[in-house]
Amino acid sequence: MGKKDTCAWEFYSDPARYADIVNGLVCGGEQVVDKSDLRELDSRIGQKTRDLLREVAFGNNTAVIGIENQE
């Protein structure tokens, strides 16, 4: 318990895969986000740590999207 799933972390840390996940889940399958639209953020928020945290550019707007791996 408390051990990080390194395989999933490595898989989802790839910018192209991260963009695909955002496009599939947030954009309804449309190719809106490209890997160049992502900016890595510090995964520490207060006293909590997120698995993967990225700032995603949607034109003039941005969103902070985090992926949490679950067993």
Side-chain angles (χ1 to χ4, degrees):
M1 192 164 186
K3 186 177 177 184
K4 189 177 253 186
D5 184 347
T6 56
C7 289
W9 186 88
E10 287 177 17
F11 182 84
Y12 291 120
S13 65
D14 177 271
R17 290 188 183 120
Y18 205 99
D20 284 344
I21 291 169
V22 173
N23 286 325
L25 297 176
V26 178
C27 303
E30 292 184 39
Q31 297 299 306
V32 176
V33 176
D34 184 70
K35 66 181 182 178
S36 63
D37 297 324
L38 303 174
R39 185 171 69 92
E40 190 170 342
L41 296 176
D42 185 358
S43 61
R44 291 172 289 164
I45 301 174
Q47 294 181 356
K48 297 188 178 215
T49 301
R50 300 291 173 224
D51 288 341
L52 295 161
L53 196 62
R54 304 286 184 268
E55 182 178 61
V56 182
F58 292 96
N60 292 330
N61 299 311
T62 60
V64 175
I65 298 177
I67 294 177
E68 285 291 315
N69 297 317
Q70 300 293 314
E71 288 186 26

